[in-house]
Amino acid sequence: MNQLDTKFGEFGGMYVPELLIPALDQLEKEFLDAKEDPSFNKEFLSLLKDYAGRPTPMTLTRNLVSNPKVKLYLKREDLLHGGAHKTNQVLGQALLTKRMGKKEVIAETGAGQHGVATALACALLGLKARIYMGAKDVERQAPNVFRMKLMGAEVIPVNAGSGTLKDAVNEAMRDWSANYDTAHYLLGTAAGPHPFPTIVREYHRMMGEETRAQIMEKEGRLPDAVVACVGGGSNAIGMFADFIDEPSVRLVGVEPAGKGVHTKDHGATIVTGTKGILHGAYTFIMQDNEGQIEESYSVSAGLDYPAVGPQHAYLHDIGRAEYVAATDEEALNAFKLLARKEGIIPALEPSHALAHALNMADEAEEETIIVVNLSGRGDKDLEHVIRVLGDDI
Amino acid sequence: MDRYADMFSRLNEKNQGAFVPFVMVGDPDLAQSEAIICQLVESGADALELGIPYSDPIADGPTIQAASIRALSHKIKVADCMALISRVRDKYPEVPIGLLLYSNLVMAQGIGNFYKKAQDAGVDSILVADVPIREAAPFQQASQDTGVSQILIAPPNATDETMEKIGEYSTGYTYLLGRAGVTGAETAANVPASDLIERLNKHNAAPALLGFGISTPEQVKSAIDAGAAGAISGSATVNIIAANLDNSEKMLSELDSFVSSMKAATIKG
C-alpha cells in the first residue's frame, strides 16, 4: 500500500509492470523517511547553497516590457550550476540513491540537460551513472554528450522506436526492471509513475518558495501571475507548488506549439491532447485513435515530450492553472528579444514562457506583476538557433 | 465455457503440462501471422498467447519490440487483430487464447468496450503488461462483466501482500515471471522457481505458467517438474519468425520443430 496519494484526481497512478512496484514503494518510503531526517535535509540544503548556487536571483527586466503598468520579473534558474533548474531535484534524488544504499543511477535525457545534471551529481557523490539518450538526440546534442562523458557518465544511444526522448525513457525503465536492486532510476521530470511526480515537485519547490520571498521583499505583495514552460513540467510544477493555494496568483503553463497546434508538429499535450497512459501515468498524451503514441515536436528539445506531468493535467482539469501554447517562431522571437533588451540569453524552453508573458504584458490594463521562470540558459541552444535562424540576426 | 480450466484438466488426465507460445499478431504481416498462429496450434501448442502491437512496449526486450515494429509498419489496427483472432477461434474452438498488451491500447477504446470486443473475438484472457494489481480494479470489473479472465503477474520479488491479492483475484492462469527484467531469450529464466510456485499454491492462485527467458525444452521440463502448470515462450518463438522473414516455408517448418520439441518436454514422468 502507498502512504501518499498516488493520483492527482484521476491523473497519475502507477501503470508499470508488477515487477517495478516494490522499487517504487521503496522509493516512496525513503523519500518520506528522508523528509523527516534532519541530516538529509541539511546535506541537501548545503549542496543547493554551496555547490549549486541557491538561492538564485530574481531580476526585474528593465527594457523588455513597454507597457508601464507591467513589471516583469525573471526567476534566474539559468544561473544555477549546470545551467538549468534540473540540478535541484537531481541532487535530491542522488542523495536518496545513496540513502537506499544503491551505487548506480539510470537516467534518460532528451536534450541532454537532465543527463548533464545527473552526471554532475553522480560525479560529486560518487555514483555510477548510465544515461539513455535517443540516437537522434546523441547526434543533435553532441556538446552535452561530451559534457556527460567528461563527468564520467556512460551515455547509451537508443536506436529503438523513434530514437528520441520517449524511447530513452522506455529503455531506462527496461534497464530498471532488471536492476532495481542495485540501481536507482533518476527520472528527470515531474512525470512517470508515482512517486516520481511528487518527489520531483518537492525537490523543485524551492523555486516557488524563493520567488514568494523575493517578490514580497521587492514588492510587498504576491505576483499576479507566474508563468513557466511545460514539457514534462518539472520547472513549472516547482514554480507553481508554493502558489497553488493562493487563488490571486494566476498559474500559467506554456506548452510548445511547434509549427502550430493545428499541425502534427507540436508538443502541446494539454492544449490539444487526449487522455491516456504513457510511462506509468494516466495523463494527457499525444496518440492516434488506436492508442499508439505519436511523436511530439518542438524547436526546443527539452519540451519535446508526448506526455505531461499528471499534476499539470489535474491543475488544468480543476481550472487552477491555465495552459496555453507558444510556437517555435514566438519562442525564437522572445529568445532574441531577451538577449537584445536585457543581455540575457535564455534557453529555448523558457523562451516559450517568456513569449506568452510578453503577450500578457501587452494586454494588461491594470498594474500587473508577472514572474517568468527562466528555467535555463541558452548556451546549449546556440548551435541549434544558428541552424534555424542563420547567423544573420 | 472456461477453456483454461478445460485445458488444465485435459492435460492433467494425460499427465502433461501446457506449452504456450507467444507471437505478435500481425508479425510480420497479417496473412503470414495467421498462418504462423495456426501452425503453432497444429504443432502442439496447448494455448496461445498473442500480443497486440504497441509503439512503446516497456516490458519487452529487443525481440518483441522488433515484432511490434514489423506489425505496425503495416498500419495494423486493433480491429484487424481481433478479426484475425476471431478466425483462429472458429478454426480451433477449444484452444485457450490470451491477449498480452499494454494499457493505452485498452484505454483508447474504453476498457469495457475493449473487453467486449475481445470477448466477441473469442479471447479467453487479457494480460495488461503495465497494469499492476494496484491499478487493476477497472480492468477486473470489465473482466467480470465479460467473463474474459484477467491474468495477473507474479514477479520473483512479489511481496506477501501481492501474493495474497493474486490468490484472491487470479482467474484463468497466473503468469509467473521466471526472472526480473524484460522479455527476451538472451537472459535465461531462473527455473525451477519452486519457491514462487509454492507460495502461489499456498494462496490458491490460478495455475502458474512460467514465462520470461524460456527458450529450451530443458527449461520447460524443469518448470513443470517444479510444479508449474506449464511454460510460455515468446522471444524464442519470435526469433524464429525474425530469422526467416524471407522464407515463410522455412519459418513454418522451424516453428513446427520448435513447438513440437517444447511440447514434448511437457510430458511428465
Side-chain angles (χ1 to χ4, degrees):
Chain A
M1 286 306 292
N2 295 97
Q3 300 179 62
L4 293 168
D5 283 341
T6 64
K7 294 197 169 137
F8 305 91
E10 64 174 322
F11 300 102
M14 305 173 85
Y15 294 91
V16 295
E18 195 73 58
L19 189 62
L20 282 175
I21 293 290
L24 291 168
D25 284 353
Q26 179 194 21
L27 183 59
E28 182 193 66
K29 182 183 175 301
E30 290 293 340
F31 165 70
L32 289 171
D33 288 353
K35 209 170 158 183
E36 304 303 322
D37 179 351
S39 70
F40 179 92
N41 289 312
K42 195 177 157 206
E43 192 175 7
F44 187 27
L45 288 176
S46 137
L47 286 176
L48 289 171
K49 177 170 176 279
D50 302 324
Y51 178 73
R54 296 215 77 88
T56 58
M58 195 169 72
T59 305
L60 175 62
T61 56
R62 293 185 178 215
N63 314 307
L64 191 61
V65 176
S66 49
N67 185 343
K69 289 186 170 1
V70 175
K71 284 182 165 177
L72 186 108
Y73 284 92
L74 305 172
K75 180 60 176 160
R76 301 292 306 279
E77 296 301 303
D78 60 317
L79 296 177
L80 196 69
H81 176 48
H85 73 291
K86 298 277 184 193
T87 303
N88 297 322
Q89 77 96 9
V90 165
L91 287 171
Q93 282 202 57
L95 288 177
L96 276 185
T97 306
K98 295 196 76 156
R99 201 184 157 82
M100 290 186 282
K102 296 179 178 179
K103 296 190 165 53
E104 297 167 25
V105 162
I106 301 162
E108 82 294 335
T109 197
Q113 285 308 107
H114 175 59
V116 167
T118 300
L120 69 85
C122 288
L124 178 72
L125 296 171
L127 297 164
K128 200 171 163 225
R130 52 179 182 273
I131 296 165
Y132 291 93
M133 189 169 183
K136 279 185 208 158
D137 290 332
V138 170
E139 267 175 47
R140 290 192 286 204
Q141 308 285 341
N144 270 345
V145 173
F146 186 71
R147 283 186 185 99
M148 288 182 257
K149 289 182 175 169
L150 198 58
M151 292 185 282
E154 180 190 0
V155 179
I156 305 170
V158 178
N159 285 298
S162 51
T164 59
L165 176 58
K166 82 176 174 73
D167 306 290
V169 176
N170 291 340
E171 211 54 35
M173 291 182 88
R174 290 179 187 124
D175 183 336
W176 202 32
S177 306
N179 299 299
Y180 48 78
D181 279 338
T182 51
H184 172 57
Y185 177 24
L186 207 164
L187 203 145
T189 188
H194 174 79
F196 286 111
T198 297
I199 292 178
V200 173
R201 179 194 69 220
E202 289 306 299
Y203 289 170
H204 272 316
R205 70 179 296 138
M206 75 292 273
M207 291 188 284
E209 290 168 351
E210 287 173 15
T211 298
R212 176 193 286 264
Q214 287 164 327
I215 202 79
M216 288 307 288
E217 191 195 321
K218 289 178 202 290
E219 298 288 342
R221 71 171 182 93
L222 292 175
D224 298 291
V226 170
V227 186
C229 61
V230 177
S234 69
N235 91 81
I237 206 69
M239 192 67 175
F240 291 173
D242 202 49
F243 296 107
I244 288 173
D245 293 332
E246 300 285 0
S248 71
V249 181
R250 281 174 69 189
L251 306 177
V252 184
V254 185
E255 297 193 307
K259 295 174 182 165
V261 290
H262 56 283
T263 72
K264 285 201 114 187
D265 295 327
H266 66 82
T269 45
I270 297 181
V271 169
T272 65
T274 49
K275 296 174 192 175
I277 293 169
L278 182 62
H279 297 145
Y282 182 67
T283 182
F284 287 95
I285 62 174
M286 297 183 62
Q287 60 185 330
D288 67 13
N289 292 335
E290 291 276 302
Q292 306 290 352
I293 305 305
E294 290 191 321
E295 280 296 295
S296 54
Y297 162 82
S298 168
V299 68
S300 135
L303 300 182
D304 192 353
Y305 181 58
V308 66
Q311 192 170 5
H312 287 296
Y314 176 66
L315 291 173
H316 165 76
D317 209 44
I318 62 170
R320 175 59 191 96
E322 307 154 47
Y323 294 86
V324 296
T327 62
D328 285 359
E329 196 184 343
E330 291 168 315
L332 285 162
N333 283 337
F335 173 90
K336 285 189 288 185
L337 209 57
L338 190 66
R340 186 69 59 89
K341 298 279 189 182
E342 304 287 337
I344 297 170
I345 301 173
L348 286 173
E349 290 81 3
S351 297
H352 288 73
L354 191 65
H356 185 73
L358 290 174
N359 291 340
M360 289 169 68
D362 282 346
E363 289 160 13
E365 288 169 5
E366 291 167 17
E367 299 290 327
T368 305
I369 300 172
I370 301 172
V371 183
V372 170
N373 193 4
L374 202 72
S375 58
R377 66 174 184 235
D379 308 47
K380 69 178 176 68
D381 294 318
L382 292 181
E383 203 183 323
H384 188 51
V385 173
I386 291 169
R387 267 202 305 273
V388 177
L389 295 181
D391 48 15
D392 177 30
I393 40 176
Chain B
M1 179 175 12
D2 186 338
R3 293 193 186 88
Y4 283 109
D6 293 349
M7 171 189 76
F8 286 125
S9 85
R10 268 199 316 273
L11 289 170
N12 270 338
E13 278 170 28
K14 292 196 277 187
N15 209 22
Q16 294 178 9
F19 174 64
V20 185
F22 165 96
V23 290
M24 187 67 71
V25 177
D27 173 29
D29 57 47
L30 278 169
Q32 286 196 77
S33 178
E34 191 163 342
I36 288 166
I37 292 166
C38 293
Q39 180 67 59
L40 299 174
V41 180
E42 299 294 339
S43 304
D46 295 300
L48 294 166
E49 193 71 5
L50 302 177
I52 306 285
Y54 179 53
S55 55
D56 292 77
I58 56 168
D60 285 304
T63 302
I64 312 273
Q65 287 176 47
S68 261
I69 291 168
R70 283 194 294 272
L72 288 173
S73 73
H74 299 286
K75 310 262 179 237
I76 184 175
K77 293 188 178 332
V78 170
D80 302 324
C81 298
M82 293 296 188
L84 186 156
I85 291 168
S86 183
R87 293 193 294 274
V88 173
R89 166 53 67 225
D90 289 345
K91 198 165 173 191
Y92 305 106
E94 291 182 352
V95 174
I97 298 176
L99 289 187
L100 201 166
L101 78 172
Y102 289 85
S103 58
N104 202 49
L105 296 176
V106 181
M107 303 297 272
Q109 317 247 349
I111 300 177
N113 183 38
F114 186 95
Y115 276 65
K116 184 74 182 56
K117 285 181 182 173
Q119 180 197 18
D120 291 346
V123 166
D124 297 290
S125 71
I126 294 180
L127 193 170
V128 192
D130 56 345
V131 171
I133 291 171
R134 226 169 267 185
E135 300 290 358
F139 298 84
Q140 282 167 336
Q141 185 59 55
S143 156
Q144 279 165 22
D145 293 347
T146 55
V148 176
S149 294
Q150 183 74 22
I151 302 305
L152 301 180
I153 285 199
N157 59 355
T159 58
D160 283 334
E161 184 196 336
T162 304
M163 283 292 188
E164 259 170 51
K165 294 247 166 73
I166 292 171
E168 195 175 339
Y169 297 117
S170 64
T171 51
Y173 72 91
T174 304
Y175 195 120
L176 179 58
L177 285 196
R179 54 164 172 74
V182 293
T183 58
E186 300 83 2
T187 315
N190 301 319
V191 285
S194 4
D195 292 359
L196 281 166
I197 295 167
E198 257 172 50
R199 287 172 72 197
L200 283 173
N201 289 341
K202 203 180 90 190
H203 292 288
N204 295 316
L209 298 178
L210 186 70
F212 270 44
I214 301 284
S215 58
T216 67
E218 293 71 31
Q219 289 174 308
V220 173
K221 185 174 183 326
S222 60
I224 289 168
D225 285 348
I232 300 174
S233 181
S235 296
T237 313
V238 173
N239 275 334
I240 295 172
I241 298 172
N244 294 288
L245 289 172
D246 53 358
N247 187 343
S248 62
E249 214 169 293
K250 185 157 165 273
M251 182 196 291
L252 294 179
S253 88
E254 284 190 18
L255 284 169
D256 180 41
S257 19
F258 175 70
V259 173
S260 309
S261 67
M262 296 293 266
K263 175 57 202 167
T266 68
I267 298 163
K268 296 178 193 171

